[in-house]
Amino acid sequence: MKILDVGCGGGLLTEPGGSLFITTINKTQLSYALGIVFSEQIAGIVPKGTHTWEKFVSPEKLESILESNGLSVQTVAGMLYNPFSGYWHWSENTSLNYAAHAVKSSMQEHPAPAEFALKEETEELRIETSTNSGVHEALKK
């Protein structure tokens, strides 16, 4: 099984039958309040400017993007971070952070217009991430 992350092209490069795992932040008012206002501006857990709320994506939107690119979403699970212990925990609540597992269809289809839009968005995010080493290093942790 080959595993690629969305920064490497995600479903566009995943081989038929291959898995794609994505962890991201949901686009909710709560994620804005905790992910940006609290973690960046109040507590300083991550550097200011790390997150761009307009780029956050809901599980429903992510599933739509993945399915339009020939992937079938298998699982979506919430993730909660405990800043006191430094550990992440699985949760049924996806209102902040969540993980998705999708599998590339075995059938090869012609690219849909959404694939091209996803490729452009992915390339923009890859460039932004590669030019901001502080964000890249924080994501590694």
Side-chain angles (χ1 to χ4, degrees), residues 53-115:
W53 190 77
E54 293 77 19
K55 293 182 181 178
F56 290 2
V57 62
S58 71
E60 296 80 16
K61 177 70 174 173
L62 179 62
E63 186 169 351
S64 173
I65 292 169
L66 293 172
E67 287 179 354
S68 70
N69 283 281
L71 290 120
S72 173
V73 174
Q74 305 295 302
T75 306
V76 174
M79 299 168 29
L80 293 175
Y81 179 70
N82 182 335
F84 301 108
S85 69
Y87 289 101
W88 286 90
H89 303 278
W90 294 113
S91 168
E92 292 182 21
N93 185 339
T94 61
S95 63
L96 289 173
N97 301 286
Y98 66 95
H101 168 224
V103 176
K104 180 76 171 187
S105 171
S106 296
M107 295 186 58
Q108 294 294 330
E109 299 176 7
H110 297 300
E115 285 184 279

